[in-house]
Amino acid sequence: KGKCPEDGWDESTIELFLHELAVMDSNNFLGNCGVGEREGRVASELVARRHYRLIHGIGRSGDISAVQPKAAGSSLLNKLTNSVVLDVLKLSGRYKYENIFHLWVRVMNSVCLFLTYFLCAGVQTVTNCFVVPMATGMSLTLCFLTLRHKRPKAKYIIWPRIDQKSCFKSMITAGFEPVVIENVLEGDELRTDTEAVEAKIKALGAENILCVHSTTSCFAPRVPDRLEELSVICANYDIPHIVNNAYGVQSSKCMHLIQQGARVGRIDAFVQSLDKNFMVPVGGAIIAGFNESFIQEISKMYPGKASASPSLDVLITLLSLGASGYKQLLKERKEMFSYLLSELKKLADNHNERLLDTPHNPISLGNS
Ligand SMILES: *Cc1c(COP(=O)(O)O)cnc(C)c1O
């Protein structure tokens, strides 16, 4: 069914499963003799084992999501990973509601439980996603490049400021000029200046703007962008909206913002890091969105084949955690965050400092 199993699998089950995938690739066929230039030849046995003999990578020359006939196992791995990851993206958005509803559920019966899950599933609307073997910045670049031929006159990207170099460079590398919108200080929080965004769009002309590039996960005192307002502005001016959700999957609040933005306005794609959200080595990201054909267009923009390693790592991780294990980690993170907040407050008081009051930031805290 392509869903993340509720309970995690043990190591030997996962290995058996990976071996079954690997024997479907032609390089592992008995008596195979490939004469092409790319036949999954590997000199070192150590390297072969490190990759579970899945040597073909993913995609075909024209599309990173396409099926490769020579490599049925690797192709299946890729499809499964994308589908399991999609399931988990939905789960993270749903998680917030589950907490509220759990209170009810304790009081009411199992009919209500069914209703709860029905309602929960109804709030999430992510329709498509795929794993790319590039980190977040390059994945954002790929999104911008996909938009380029749809908006031939566009030169600018509207970008509410965030002090992070790779998201800035993602726009430069794609060949666009970032138009920095300074945030406004509200109490201790730095928040999106939506009026300035709209004024800039009017001044530059909507057709000259490639997209609005907003951010959810960020360091305090900046807080996640006002995604609802930005999404509405994008819908009104017919401007694409790309969201940098670098480490936002592990925060139900960030996922909820994306959900709401897409509901009331326009979000074309949102990008998240694999290592920051799924505890795997650096090397991959997930590009997700609400419009299947746009997400497919992005995957078709990727030139050539790609490494299967990031997909393999995240699939192994999610199979071993299971949905319940991942949810448990989300819950622990949330509890640790409130503990960190209360202890940091004490520390600040003891040293004549002040913990900044940034309630809209669910991930980061700052002292002053
Ligand atoms: C980590 C991060 C990036 C860049 O991520 P890479 O995976 O290193 O490309 C961009 N923006 C924000 C907000 C980040 O936290």
Side-chain angles (χ1 to χ4, degrees), residues 106-276:
R106 283 210 189 120
V107 206
M108 298 187 195
N109 57 23
S110 58
V111 180
C112 183
L113 187 74
F114 172 75
L115 202 67
T116 304
Y117 278 90
F118 183 71
L119 284 173
C120 291
V123 266
Q124 59 71 37
T125 46
V126 198
T127 53
N128 207 352
C129 76
F130 66 99
V131 170
V132 242
M134 306 185 291
T136 321
M138 275 304 281
S139 303
L140 286 165
T141 298
L142 189 67
C143 295
F144 301 140
L145 290 174
T146 308
L147 288 173
R148 186 168 68 166
H149 62 269
K150 290 173 163 282
R151 299 176 75 77
K153 284 176 75 181
K155 283 206 296 275
Y156 306 106
I157 296 179
I158 303 274
W159 183 60
R161 176 171 165 176
I162 168 164
D163 294 344
Q164 213 284 354
K165 252 191 189 160
S166 34
C167 38
F168 185 70
K169 291 186 76 178
S170 70
M171 301 180 279
I172 306 278
T173 303
F176 295 96
E177 187 177 319
V179 177
V180 181
I181 308 291
E182 291 296 336
N183 298 302
V184 284
L185 195 59
E186 288 180 20
D188 284 341
E189 298 186 323
L190 279 168
R191 306 202 66 188
T192 323
D193 190 344
T194 47
E195 279 169 25
V197 168
E198 192 161 7
K200 204 59 168 184
I201 291 174
K202 282 184 182 151
L204 293 172
E207 72 280 10
N208 298 315
I209 297 166
L210 183 82
C211 65
V212 171
H213 173 195
S214 64
T215 309
T216 54
S217 53
C218 59
F219 292 156
R222 194 195 193 280
V223 302
D225 274 323
R226 293 188 150 102
L227 279 212
E228 284 191 31
E229 285 99 320
L230 288 176
S231 303
V232 169
I233 292 174
C234 287
N236 289 344
Y237 289 87
D238 202 16
I239 296 175
H241 185 190
I242 305 290
V243 182
N244 174 0
N245 188 40
Y247 42 105
V249 182
Q250 33 88 31
S251 157
S252 56
K253 209 162 170 178
C254 291
M255 296 305 275
H256 182 65
L257 282 174
I258 292 171
Q259 189 72 58
Q260 285 301 99
R263 195 177 62 80
V264 300
R266 173 171 182 175
I267 291 178
D268 295 69
F270 57 104
V271 179
Q272 35 270 307
S273 156
L274 280 187
D275 57 284
K276 291 178 187 174

